Amino acid sequence: MTDWVPALAKLPGPRYLAFVSALEADIASGRVKPGMRLLPQRDMAQRLDLSVGTISKAYAEAEQRGLISGEVGRGTFVQKRRAEARGLGPSQATINLALNVPPYTGEDEVIASALAEIVADGEMSNLLGYLPHQGLRRHREAMVTWLTSLGVTTETDHLFITHGGQHALSIALPMVASPADTVLTESYTYSGMLALSALSGYRLHGVATDAQGLVPEHLDRAFSETNARVLYCMPTLQTPMGSVMPAKRRQAIAEIVRRHDAYLLEDDAYGYLLSPPLSPISRLIPERSFYIVSFAKCLAPGLRIAAMIAPEAFRDRSINALRATGWMAVPVMAEVVARLIQNGGLARQAKLKRDKAAVRDGMARRILKEWLPPATGVAGFHLWLPLPAGRTLAALIAQAAQAGITLAPPGALRRMENESLGVRLCLGAPATEADLERALVEIRRILEMAEAISFV
């Protein structure tokens, strides 16, 4: 980069801004490629005959502009410039508040950097063959380390890498239930469980919930009345309701599962959003629990990587289930996750997503405060909007669609009283906070006015 010296001398303004302008121009021209590693700050200062303080300010400014990204222990890398997000509005495109995805925090650049590192290390060829069904041991060891940071302890031999959380559910459930068996869930449940039930013929039975999740008395009664032996639940930021089950309630649920000699499938997709995390129910009854954590919400859905902890008694059957349904999770993607755990990239992404969740949750509560239930104290990527008195769910969704906002009704597993109806607002999908704010303001306008749509 010695050719920057004459360029810097010609550019006006402070030297650190001249550095950033020269870097930006070289990225735009293609002379500096995405993924390129910049010199350490002291070496760059010596190379360009500038002070370390000037280069430090330049690197900070370049990172703020999205030109570079510093990674602890690895260095500073040039980022691919993302196309500027275009504002969405009813006249341009639909703002999707029905798809529950995490907000963008630069995960594509982090993943691209990990992939480039895999190629540079010559590791790619080692990941393209047939490998152990439950995943390479070093990948599983890295995931055990990540789970430990979430308050979940396990042995490496009890952890299985799957093609995402949905795959984990699809192999765990048949090991403890047969088609036509009753499976207990929250009264409103995850759409993936509804799809699995439709495919395999399980009879889902919804159990009443309150602001703290499953109601123990109702769960106890449901086990007795249905003879079910399996419970699927999401104790942390339950979807679609957004409830967070406190520790005392988790202990009660664990005792009920044990008393009925049942099994638990615990979905902890959003557990990382709590800081510090709550101990999962599975930790209280590991011998009868399948614990599932996906890397979709804390990193990227397209990785299709999750970890499942299974009881010791189901170890061999879990290995065979993985072989029968896909042989193994994609090792390259598992390698990406493992490297990001080891170099701290995943922890940084998790924090960035927690911060984004707090910003978007705060925005929604400011705009829709009189219509939302009390906050749980944990910011997530979705909120529950109860249906206002005198309104209909169909009309609310139709009015939102007319305004260019996509909402989706939740899947109820039992007849719900009108005061229990509502809709999930997914806050992560809009490209920018400005898009989200526009959508929320429009929803507030709809809620404030009388219904304007009739169906005949």
Side-chain angles (χ1 to χ4, degrees):
M1 295 184 179
T2 51
D3 56 341
W4 282 8
V5 175
L8 291 172
K10 295 177 182 178
L11 291 171
R15 295 297 85 195
Y16 81 95
L17 290 179
F19 176 99
V20 176
S21 297
L23 174 61
E24 193 164 26
D26 276 3
I27 292 173
S29 69
R31 294 174 63 197
V32 173
K33 306 291 186 184
M36 176 180 174
R37 183 174 179 175
L38 296 185
L39 292 173
Q41 293 183 19
R42 186 172 298 278
D43 294 346
M44 183 67 79
Q46 292 176 350
R47 181 74 63 88
L48 298 179
D49 196 23
L50 296 171
S51 71
V52 174
T54 296
I55 292 299
S56 179
K57 288 177 68 176
Y59 275 39
E61 176 67 21
E63 187 160 9
Q64 186 174 357
R65 296 189 189 184
L67 300 172
I68 61 175
S69 175
E71 298 183 22
V72 177
R74 296 188 61 238
T76 302
F77 297 85
V78 175
Q79 293 198 71
K80 180 178 68 177
R81 298 304 304 275
R82 285 178 60 84
E84 197 69 29
R86 296 182 59 192
L88 298 176
S91 63
Q92 296 173 298
T94 297
I95 300 176
N96 192 345
L97 298 187
L99 183 63
N100 207 12
V101 297
Y104 175 75
T105 53
E107 62 274 4
D108 55 350
E109 304 296 344
V110 174
I111 293 168
S113 178
L115 287 168
E117 188 178 83
I118 291 168
V119 174
D121 289 350
E123 187 64 27
M124 183 65 77
S125 61
N126 297 326
L127 300 169
L128 297 180
Y130 287 112
L131 297 175
H133 305 304
Q134 70 225 71
L136 286 172
R137 188 169 191 84
R138 60 186 172 86
H139 293 167
R140 290 182 284 124
E141 288 173 345
M143 292 179 191
V144 167
T145 300
W146 172 251
L147 291 178
T148 300
S149 73
L150 301 181
V152 182
T153 56
T154 188
E155 299 294 328
T156 303
D157 286 343
H158 294 173
L159 185 141
F160 305 84
I161 303 175
T162 66
H163 299 285
Q166 185 69 28
H167 180 223
L169 285 175
S170 72
I171 63 176
L173 192 51
M175 287 192 277
V176 291
S178 300
D181 281 358
T182 298
V183 176
L184 304 183
T185 77
E186 294 99 343
S187 51
Y188 286 113
T189 192
Y190 167 53
S191 61
M193 181 54 74
L194 296 173
L196 189 55
S197 169
L199 175 68
S200 301
Y202 301 109
R203 297 177 180 177
L204 301 186
H205 180 88
V207 177
T209 62
D210 61 16
Q212 296 184 346
L214 286 165
V215 178
E217 295 80 5
H218 288 268
L219 178 64
D220 194 19
R221 188 181 311 126
F223 271 123
S224 297
E225 293 176 350
T226 66
N227 294 317
R229 294 191 63 236
V230 181
L231 167 67
Y232 164 79
C233 70
M234 188 179 289
T236 300
L237 291 168
Q238 193 269 345
T239 184
M241 300 291 286
S243 59
V244 177
M245 190 182 292
K248 187 175 180 180
R249 178 73 64 90
R250 294 176 188 228
Q251 292 169 356
I253 299 301
E255 179 54 37
I256 292 168
V257 171
R258 182 186 290 113
R259 186 164 65 248
H260 287 277
D261 192 27
Y263 290 97
L264 169 69
L265 274 63
E266 183 173 9
D267 190 337
D268 202 22
Y270 302 102
Y272 81 97
L273 288 171
L274 276 71
S275 185
L278 276 168
S279 182
I281 301 172
S282 299
R283 190 172 183 181
L284 301 171
I285 45 173
E287 75 284 357
R288 54 183 66 253
S289 295
F290 292 81
Y291 174 84
I292 298 165
V293 59
S294 168
F295 295 94
K297 307 300 184 184
C298 60
L299 197 50
L303 287 173
R304 305 316 306 145
I305 292 292
M308 179 184 76
I309 300 173
E312 171 64 29
F314 290 89
R315 183 174 183 273
D316 290 346
R317 291 177 65 186
S318 296
I319 292 173
N320 188 60
L322 282 162
R323 183 184 190 278
T325 58
W327 190 274
M328 61 190 177
V330 179
V332 174
M333 295 296 98
E335 176 77 12
V336 168
V337 172
R339 289 189 180 223
L340 292 179
I341 291 171
Q342 292 160 349
N343 66 26
L346 180 57
R348 288 191 292 277
Q349 279 294 308
K351 182 182 184 306
L352 288 171
K353 293 193 188 299
R354 279 195 297 271
D355 293 345
K356 278 277 190 180
V359 169
R360 295 191 174 204
D361 179 270
M363 178 187 297
R365 294 192 179 280
R366 171 176 54 82
I367 295 172
L368 300 175
K369 55 185 176 182
E370 56 263 56
W371 289 282
L372 296 176
T376 62
V378 181
F381 302 141
H382 61 280
L383 289 172
W384 181 253
L385 175 66
L387 187 67
R391 309 299 292 270
T392 67
L393 198 56
L396 175 62
I397 293 172
Q399 287 173 271
Q402 282 196 329
I405 302 163
T406 301
L407 300 178
L413 294 175
R414 61 190 181 91
R415 188 179 182 280
M416 306 298 290
E417 300 300 325
N418 201 61
E419 59 268 21
S420 300
L421 296 175
V423 66
R424 181 183 66 173
L425 302 180
C426 299
L427 310 179
T432 67
E433 276 74 42
D435 292 338
L436 176 61
E437 183 170 20
R438 259 196 308 281
L440 294 172
V441 168
E442 187 62 29
I443 289 173
R444 183 181 67 191
R445 184 189 67 79
I446 293 170
L447 295 172
E448 288 173 339
M449 69 182 186
E451 289 202 40
I453 296 179
S454 296
F455 297 95
V456 295

